[in-house]
């Protein structure tokens, strides 16, 4: 198997519940090292729950999750993070009373041999908006700036892979374009990403492959080019 085809993150028949309500039904997906993969679906399809199940924030009741060849289902989120899987929640959750620089320091972790190495200066180059507001508190930033800061803080952990939950949600078009370019740069750096999205146009600009969730089940898998050419699938699973 070539490095490009090496499986870094894999879910096999994962079931997840909130209380007695079953949300995920035997979800299986795979992300290869260096890939950017989209997890698409309508609102409420189970995309965020899938990412939380991979990260250990929701503990799967069935199936297994593997990261870098090791099982991580059942592990605590902090232990999964230490293995090199980063997570950017939809809610952003910046530290409102800390400055940009201080938020980044919170995320700092030692360098990893098999992952891109990030410093504040490299992240300011990736997100120029942050470089212009290093001393600004997180609570004084716009939604788009907070989204950039949350991603940058996660990258300070030097992860092997990152789970991004709805990175374009609620952002102005110009910020969405900046976000897309930043994600393309992360791919060029060799970072692996699994991105939950509703915005097909945004996902098409940055991802290699796509899975579609419908009512907690994977109902479609294809290359992004294949999905863009498959109008019946887009109409059935993604049209609002």
């Amino acid at each position: 198997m070539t490095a490009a085809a090496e499986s870094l993150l894999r879910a096999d028949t994962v079931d997840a519940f909130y209380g007695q309500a079953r949300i995920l039904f035997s979800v299986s997906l795979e992300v290869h090292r260096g890939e950017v993969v989209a997890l698409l679906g309508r609102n409420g399809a189970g995309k965020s729950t899938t990412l939380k199940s991979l990260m250990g924030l929701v503990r799967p009741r069935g199936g297994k999750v593997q990261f870098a060849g090791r099982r991580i289902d059942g592990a605590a989120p902090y232990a999964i993070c230490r293995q090199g899987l980063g997570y950017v929640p939809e809610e952003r959750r910046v530290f409102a009373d800390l400055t940009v620089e201080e938020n980044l320091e919170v995320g700092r972790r030692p360098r990893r041999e098999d992952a891109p190495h990030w410093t504040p200066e490299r992240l300011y180059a990736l997100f120029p908006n942050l470089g212009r507001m290093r001393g600004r508190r997180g609570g004084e930033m716009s939604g788009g700036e907070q989204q950039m800061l949350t991603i940058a803080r996660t990258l300070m952990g030097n992860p092997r892979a990152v789970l991004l939950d709805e990175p374009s949600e609620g952002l102005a078009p110009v910020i969405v374009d900046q976000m897309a370019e930043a994600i393309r740069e992360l791919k060029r750096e060799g970072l692996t990403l699994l991105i939950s999205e509703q915005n097909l146009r945004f996902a098409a600009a940055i991802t290699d492959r796509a899975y579609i969730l419908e009512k907690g089940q994977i109902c479609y898998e294809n290359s992004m080019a294949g999905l863009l050419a498959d109008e019946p699938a887009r109409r059935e699973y993604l049209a609002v």
Side-chain angles (χ1 to χ4, degrees), residues 107-130:
R108 186 185 290 273
R109 295 284 298 166
R111 185 170 190 166
R112 300 178 199 276
E113 293 294 330
D114 57 349
H117 177 57
W118 297 98
T119 63
E121 291 305 319
R122 290 197 70 206
L123 291 168
Y124 294 145
L126 182 66
F127 296 111
N129 293 33
L130 299 183

PDB file of all heavy atoms in Angstrom, residues 107-130:
ATOM      1  N   GLY A 107      -3.410  25.709  23.022  1.00  0.00           N
ATOM      2  CA  GLY A 107      -3.413  24.519  22.181  1.00  0.00           C
ATOM      3  C   GLY A 107      -2.050  23.920  21.913  1.00  0.00           C
ATOM      4  O   GLY A 107      -1.964  22.863  21.270  1.00  0.00           O
ATOM      5  N   ARG A 108      -0.982  24.532  22.398  1.00  0.00           N
ATOM      6  CA  ARG A 108       0.367  24.074  22.041  1.00  0.00           C
ATOM      7  C   ARG A 108       0.637  22.662  22.552  1.00  0.00           C
ATOM      8  O   ARG A 108       0.384  22.347  23.718  1.00  0.00           O
ATOM      9  CB  ARG A 108       1.423  25.037  22.604  1.00  0.00           C
ATOM     10  CG  ARG A 108       2.833  24.710  22.150  1.00  0.00           C
ATOM     11  CD  ARG A 108       3.850  25.611  22.832  1.00  0.00           C
ATOM     12  NE  ARG A 108       3.770  26.995  22.373  1.00  0.00           N
ATOM     13  CZ  ARG A 108       4.422  27.447  21.307  1.00  0.00           C
ATOM     14  NH1 ARG A 108       5.179  26.642  20.588  1.00  0.00           N
ATOM     15  NH2 ARG A 108       4.317  28.726  20.965  1.00  0.00           N
ATOM     16  N   ARG A 109       1.160  21.825  21.666  1.00  0.00           N
ATOM     17  CA  ARG A 109       1.589  20.458  22.002  1.00  0.00           C
ATOM     18  C   ARG A 109       2.951  20.206  21.366  1.00  0.00           C
ATOM     19  O   ARG A 109       3.364  20.912  20.452  1.00  0.00           O
ATOM     20  CB  ARG A 109       0.578  19.434  21.454  1.00  0.00           C
ATOM     21  CG  ARG A 109      -0.810  19.488  22.066  1.00  0.00           C
ATOM     22  CD  ARG A 109      -0.848  18.875  23.435  1.00  0.00           C
ATOM     23  NE  ARG A 109      -0.492  17.459  23.377  1.00  0.00           N
ATOM     24  CZ  ARG A 109      -0.175  16.714  24.433  1.00  0.00           C
ATOM     25  NH1 ARG A 109      -0.176  17.251  25.627  1.00  0.00           N
ATOM     26  NH2 ARG A 109       0.133  15.445  24.297  1.00  0.00           N
ATOM     27  N   PRO A 110       3.683  19.188  21.843  1.00  0.00           N
ATOM     28  CA  PRO A 110       5.002  18.901  21.255  1.00  0.00           C
ATOM     29  C   PRO A 110       4.907  18.535  19.781  1.00  0.00           C
ATOM     30  O   PRO A 110       3.873  18.068  19.291  1.00  0.00           O
ATOM     31  CB  PRO A 110       5.499  17.704  22.084  1.00  0.00           C
ATOM     32  CG  PRO A 110       4.726  17.762  23.359  1.00  0.00           C
ATOM     33  CD  PRO A 110       3.391  18.324  22.999  1.00  0.00           C
ATOM     34  N   ARG A 111       6.000  18.717  19.097  1.00  0.00           N
ATOM     35  CA  ARG A 111       6.086  18.380  17.679  1.00  0.00           C
ATOM     36  C   ARG A 111       5.956  16.875  17.477  1.00  0.00           C
ATOM     37  O   ARG A 111       6.399  16.086  18.306  1.00  0.00           O
ATOM     38  CB  ARG A 111       7.423  18.860  17.124  1.00  0.00           C
ATOM     39  CG  ARG A 111       7.587  18.673  15.635  1.00  0.00           C
ATOM     40  CD  ARG A 111       8.816  19.385  15.138  1.00  0.00           C
ATOM     41  NE  ARG A 111       8.870  19.408  13.682  1.00  0.00           N
ATOM     42  CZ  ARG A 111       9.672  20.184  12.976  1.00  0.00           C
ATOM     43  NH1 ARG A 111      10.496  21.024  13.607  1.00  0.00           N
ATOM     44  NH2 ARG A 111       9.668  20.151  11.651  1.00  0.00           N
ATOM     45  N   ARG A 112       5.318  16.477  16.356  1.00  0.00           N
ATOM     46  CA  ARG A 112       5.196  15.064  16.000  1.00  0.00           C
ATOM     47  C   ARG A 112       6.041  14.795  14.758  1.00  0.00           C
ATOM     48  O   ARG A 112       6.111  15.617  13.846  1.00  0.00           O
ATOM     49  CB  ARG A 112       3.731  14.696  15.707  1.00  0.00           C
ATOM     50  CG  ARG A 112       2.787  14.906  16.843  1.00  0.00           C
ATOM     51  CD  ARG A 112       1.351  14.551  16.441  1.00  0.00           C
ATOM     52  NE  ARG A 112       0.392  15.147  17.356  1.00  0.00           N
ATOM     53  CZ  ARG A 112       0.023  14.608  18.504  1.00  0.00           C
ATOM     54  NH1 ARG A 112       0.523  13.431  18.851  1.00  0.00           N
ATOM     55  NH2 ARG A 112      -0.842  15.208  19.296  1.00  0.00           N
ATOM     56  N   GLU A 113       6.612  13.612  14.704  1.00  0.00           N
ATOM     57  CA  GLU A 113       7.464  13.255  13.580  1.00  0.00           C
ATOM     58  C   GLU A 113       6.672  13.132  12.276  1.00  0.00           C
ATOM     59  O   GLU A 113       7.188  13.419  11.205  1.00  0.00           O
ATOM     60  CB  GLU A 113       8.180  11.931  13.869  1.00  0.00           C
ATOM     61  CG  GLU A 113       9.200  12.014  14.995  1.00  0.00           C
ATOM     62  CD  GLU A 113      10.379  12.901  14.643  1.00  0.00           C
ATOM     63  OE1 GLU A 113      10.728  12.984  13.439  1.00  0.00           O
ATOM     64  OE2 GLU A 113      10.945  13.527  15.550  1.00  0.00           O
ATOM     65  N   ASP A 114       5.423  12.662  12.346  1.00  0.00           N
ATOM     66  CA  ASP A 114       4.660  12.352  11.135  1.00  0.00           C
ATOM     67  C   ASP A 114       3.510  13.330  10.909  1.00  0.00           C
ATOM     68  O   ASP A 114       2.468  12.963  10.361  1.00  0.00           O
ATOM     69  CB  ASP A 114       4.115  10.923  11.220  1.00  0.00           C
ATOM     70  CG  ASP A 114       3.251  10.690  12.445  1.00  0.00           C
ATOM     71  OD1 ASP A 114       3.240  11.567  13.336  1.00  0.00           O
ATOM     72  OD2 ASP A 114       2.591   9.640  12.523  1.00  0.00           O
ATOM     73  N   ALA A 115       3.688  14.582  11.333  1.00  0.00           N
ATOM     74  CA  ALA A 115       2.639  15.584  11.159  1.00  0.00           C
ATOM     75  C   ALA A 115       3.273  16.940  10.884  1.00  0.00           C
ATOM     76  O   ALA A 115       4.403  17.209  11.310  1.00  0.00           O
ATOM     77  CB  ALA A 115       1.761  15.661  12.412  1.00  0.00           C
ATOM     78  N   PRO A 116       2.562  17.824  10.174  1.00  0.00           N
ATOM     79  CA  PRO A 116       3.091  19.186   9.987  1.00  0.00           C
ATOM     80  C   PRO A 116       3.313  19.874  11.335  1.00  0.00           C
ATOM     81  O   PRO A 116       2.561  19.644  12.286  1.00  0.00           O
ATOM     82  CB  PRO A 116       1.973  19.879   9.191  1.00  0.00           C
ATOM     83  CG  PRO A 116       1.185  18.775   8.560  1.00  0.00           C
ATOM     84  CD  PRO A 116       1.256  17.624   9.511  1.00  0.00           C
ATOM     85  N   HIS A 117       4.346  20.693  11.392  1.00  0.00           N
ATOM     86  CA  HIS A 117       4.657  21.404  12.630  1.00  0.00           C
ATOM     87  C   HIS A 117       4.208  22.856  12.505  1.00  0.00           C
ATOM     88  O   HIS A 117       4.546  23.548  11.546  1.00  0.00           O
ATOM     89  CB  HIS A 117       6.168  21.360  12.896  1.00  0.00           C
ATOM     90  CG  HIS A 117       6.576  22.122  14.112  1.00  0.00           C
ATOM     91  ND1 HIS A 117       6.060  21.867  15.361  1.00  0.00           N
ATOM     92  CD2 HIS A 117       7.450  23.152  14.268  1.00  0.00           C
ATOM     93  CE1 HIS A 117       6.603  22.692  16.236  1.00  0.00           C
ATOM     94  NE2 HIS A 117       7.442  23.476  15.603  1.00  0.00           N
ATOM     95  N   TRP A 118       3.417  23.307  13.485  1.00  0.00           N
ATOM     96  CA  TRP A 118       2.848  24.641  13.440  1.00  0.00           C
ATOM     97  C   TRP A 118       3.359  25.509  14.575  1.00  0.00           C
ATOM     98  O   TRP A 118       3.491  25.063  15.712  1.00  0.00           O
ATOM     99  CB  TRP A 118       1.317  24.558  13.498  1.00  0.00           C
ATOM    100  CG  TRP A 118       0.756  23.836  12.329  1.00  0.00           C
ATOM    101  CD1 TRP A 118       0.374  22.528  12.265  1.00  0.00           C
ATOM    102  CD2 TRP A 118       0.558  24.367  11.015  1.00  0.00           C
ATOM    103  NE1 TRP A 118      -0.060  22.213  10.998  1.00  0.00           N
ATOM    104  CE2 TRP A 118       0.037  23.318  10.217  1.00  0.00           C
ATOM    105  CE3 TRP A 118       0.759  25.626  10.448  1.00  0.00           C
ATOM    106  CZ2 TRP A 118      -0.266  23.496   8.872  1.00  0.00           C
ATOM    107  CZ3 TRP A 118       0.434  25.803   9.110  1.00  0.00           C
ATOM    108  CH2 TRP A 118      -0.071  24.752   8.333  1.00  0.00           C
ATOM    109  N   THR A 119       3.654  26.748  14.243  1.00  0.00           N
ATOM    110  CA  THR A 119       4.028  27.769  15.211  1.00  0.00           C
ATOM    111  C   THR A 119       3.051  28.936  15.038  1.00  0.00           C
ATOM    112  O   THR A 119       2.371  29.037  13.996  1.00  0.00           O
ATOM    113  CB  THR A 119       5.449  28.282  14.952  1.00  0.00           C
ATOM    114  OG1 THR A 119       5.474  28.915  13.643  1.00  0.00           O
ATOM    115  CG2 THR A 119       6.466  27.135  14.987  1.00  0.00           C
ATOM    116  N   PRO A 120       2.971  29.835  16.019  1.00  0.00           N
ATOM    117  CA  PRO A 120       2.095  30.999  15.824  1.00  0.00           C
ATOM    118  C   PRO A 120       2.406  31.772  14.549  1.00  0.00           C
ATOM    119  O   PRO A 120       1.483  32.174  13.823  1.00  0.00           O
ATOM    120  CB  PRO A 120       2.350  31.833  17.083  1.00  0.00           C
ATOM    121  CG  PRO A 120       2.670  30.804  18.133  1.00  0.00           C
ATOM    122  CD  PRO A 120       3.491  29.772  17.408  1.00  0.00           C
ATOM    123  N   GLU A 121       3.678  31.951  14.237  1.00  0.00           N
ATOM    124  CA  GLU A 121       4.021  32.723  13.040  1.00  0.00           C
ATOM    125  C   GLU A 121       3.543  32.035  11.768  1.00  0.00           C
ATOM    126  O   GLU A 121       3.068  32.698  10.837  1.00  0.00           O
ATOM    127  CB  GLU A 121       5.535  32.968  12.987  1.00  0.00           C
ATOM    128  CG  GLU A 121       6.044  33.917  14.058  1.00  0.00           C
ATOM    129  CD  GLU A 121       5.314  35.266  14.035  1.00  0.00           C
ATOM    130  OE1 GLU A 121       5.056  35.785  12.925  1.00  0.00           O
ATOM    131  OE2 GLU A 121       5.009  35.792  15.119  1.00  0.00           O
ATOM    132  N   ARG A 122       3.667  30.719  11.698  1.00  0.00           N
ATOM    133  CA  ARG A 122       3.167  29.988  10.527  1.00  0.00           C
ATOM    134  C   ARG A 122       1.646  30.109  10.427  1.00  0.00           C
ATOM    135  O   ARG A 122       1.096  30.211   9.336  1.00  0.00           O
ATOM    136  CB  ARG A 122       3.563  28.513  10.602  1.00  0.00           C
ATOM    137  CG  ARG A 122       5.041  28.241  10.421  1.00  0.00           C
ATOM    138  CD  ARG A 122       5.278  26.773  10.099  1.00  0.00           C
ATOM    139  NE  ARG A 122       4.778  26.472   8.754  1.00  0.00           N
ATOM    140  CZ  ARG A 122       4.376  25.270   8.363  1.00  0.00           C
ATOM    141  NH1 ARG A 122       4.395  24.248   9.214  1.00  0.00           N
ATOM    142  NH2 ARG A 122       3.956  25.073   7.130  1.00  0.00           N
ATOM    143  N   LEU A 123       0.980  30.099  11.561  1.00  0.00           N
ATOM    144  CA  LEU A 123      -0.475  30.204  11.558  1.00  0.00           C
ATOM    145  C   LEU A 123      -0.924  31.618  11.201  1.00  0.00           C
ATOM    146  O   LEU A 123      -1.956  31.793  10.536  1.00  0.00           O
ATOM    147  CB  LEU A 123      -1.034  29.781  12.918  1.00  0.00           C
ATOM    148  CG  LEU A 123      -0.877  28.283  13.195  1.00  0.00           C
ATOM    149  CD1 LEU A 123      -1.162  27.969  14.649  1.00  0.00           C
ATOM    150  CD2 LEU A 123      -1.792  27.469  12.276  1.00  0.00           C
ATOM    151  N   TYR A 124      -0.162  32.619  11.593  1.00  0.00           N
ATOM    152  CA  TYR A 124      -0.504  33.985  11.184  1.00  0.00           C
ATOM    153  C   TYR A 124      -0.337  34.144   9.670  1.00  0.00           C
ATOM    154  O   TYR A 124      -1.065  34.923   9.040  1.00  0.00           O
ATOM    155  CB  TYR A 124       0.372  34.998  11.913  1.00  0.00           C
ATOM    156  CG  TYR A 124       0.153  35.053  13.403  1.00  0.00           C
ATOM    157  CD1 TYR A 124       1.208  35.294  14.281  1.00  0.00           C
ATOM    158  CD2 TYR A 124      -1.117  34.855  13.951  1.00  0.00           C
ATOM    159  CE1 TYR A 124       1.016  35.346  15.647  1.00  0.00           C
ATOM    160  CE2 TYR A 124      -1.323  34.900  15.322  1.00  0.00           C
ATOM    161  CZ  TYR A 124      -0.251  35.148  16.168  1.00  0.00           C
ATOM    162  OH  TYR A 124      -0.438  35.186  17.529  1.00  0.00           O
ATOM    163  N   ALA A 125       0.610  33.417   9.089  1.00  0.00           N
ATOM    164  CA  ALA A 125       0.760  33.449   7.634  1.00  0.00           C
ATOM    165  C   ALA A 125      -0.407  32.731   6.958  1.00  0.00           C
ATOM    166  O   ALA A 125      -0.885  33.147   5.899  1.00  0.00           O
ATOM    167  CB  ALA A 125       2.094  32.808   7.235  1.00  0.00           C
ATOM    168  N   LEU A 126      -0.891  31.650   7.578  1.00  0.00           N
ATOM    169  CA  LEU A 126      -2.024  30.898   7.036  1.00  0.00           C
ATOM    170  C   LEU A 126      -3.320  31.684   7.170  1.00  0.00           C
ATOM    171  O   LEU A 126      -4.162  31.671   6.268  1.00  0.00           O
ATOM    172  CB  LEU A 126      -2.141  29.564   7.772  1.00  0.00           C
ATOM    173  CG  LEU A 126      -3.248  28.615   7.314  1.00  0.00           C
ATOM    174  CD1 LEU A 126      -2.979  28.113   5.896  1.00  0.00           C
ATOM    175  CD2 LEU A 126      -3.367  27.432   8.283  1.00  0.00           C
ATOM    176  N   PHE A 127      -3.477  32.366   8.302  1.00  0.00           N
ATOM    177  CA  PHE A 127      -4.673  33.177   8.576  1.00  0.00           C
ATOM    178  C   PHE A 127      -4.234  34.625   8.842  1.00  0.00           C
ATOM    179  O   PHE A 127      -4.079  35.030  10.000  1.00  0.00           O
ATOM    180  CB  PHE A 127      -5.423  32.638   9.797  1.00  0.00           C
ATOM    181  CG  PHE A 127      -5.972  31.258   9.638  1.00  0.00           C
ATOM    182  CD1 PHE A 127      -5.437  30.192  10.356  1.00  0.00           C
ATOM    183  CD2 PHE A 127      -7.043  31.004   8.790  1.00  0.00           C
ATOM    184  CE1 PHE A 127      -5.950  28.915  10.224  1.00  0.00           C
ATOM    185  CE2 PHE A 127      -7.567  29.722   8.646  1.00  0.00           C
ATOM    186  CZ  PHE A 127      -7.016  28.676   9.368  1.00  0.00           C
ATOM    187  N   PRO A 128      -4.011  35.414   7.796  1.00  0.00           N
ATOM    188  CA  PRO A 128      -3.504  36.785   7.988  1.00  0.00           C
ATOM    189  C   PRO A 128      -4.380  37.633   8.908  1.00  0.00           C
ATOM    190  O   PRO A 128      -3.865  38.523   9.599  1.00  0.00           O
ATOM    191  CB  PRO A 128      -3.462  37.345   6.563  1.00  0.00           C
ATOM    192  CG  PRO A 128      -3.320  36.140   5.689  1.00  0.00           C
ATOM    193  CD  PRO A 128      -4.110  35.064   6.376  1.00  0.00           C
ATOM    194  N   ASN A 129      -5.701  37.380   8.914  1.00  0.00           N
ATOM    195  CA  ASN A 129      -6.580  38.142   9.809  1.00  0.00           C
ATOM    196  C   ASN A 129      -6.128  38.013  11.257  1.00  0.00           C
ATOM    197  O   ASN A 129      -6.156  38.984  12.027  1.00  0.00           O
ATOM    198  CB  ASN A 129      -8.023  37.646   9.687  1.00  0.00           C
ATOM    199  CG  ASN A 129      -8.627  37.931   8.335  1.00  0.00           C
ATOM    200  OD1 ASN A 129      -7.917  37.918   7.340  1.00  0.00           O
ATOM    201  ND2 ASN A 129      -9.924  38.181   8.279  1.00  0.00           N
ATOM    202  N   LEU A 130      -5.723  36.806  11.660  1.00  0.00           N
ATOM    203  CA  LEU A 130      -5.274  36.594  13.034  1.00  0.00           C
ATOM    204  C   LEU A 130      -3.966  37.332  13.306  1.00  0.00           C
ATOM    205  O   LEU A 130      -3.751  37.842  14.406  1.00  0.00           O
ATOM    206  CB  LEU A 130      -5.095  35.095  13.312  1.00  0.00           C
ATOM    207  CG  LEU A 130      -6.339  34.220  13.180  1.00  0.00           C
ATOM    208  CD1 LEU A 130      -6.001  32.779  13.560  1.00  0.00           C
ATOM    209  CD2 LEU A 130      -7.484  34.746  14.043  1.00  0.00           C
TER     210      LEU A 130
END
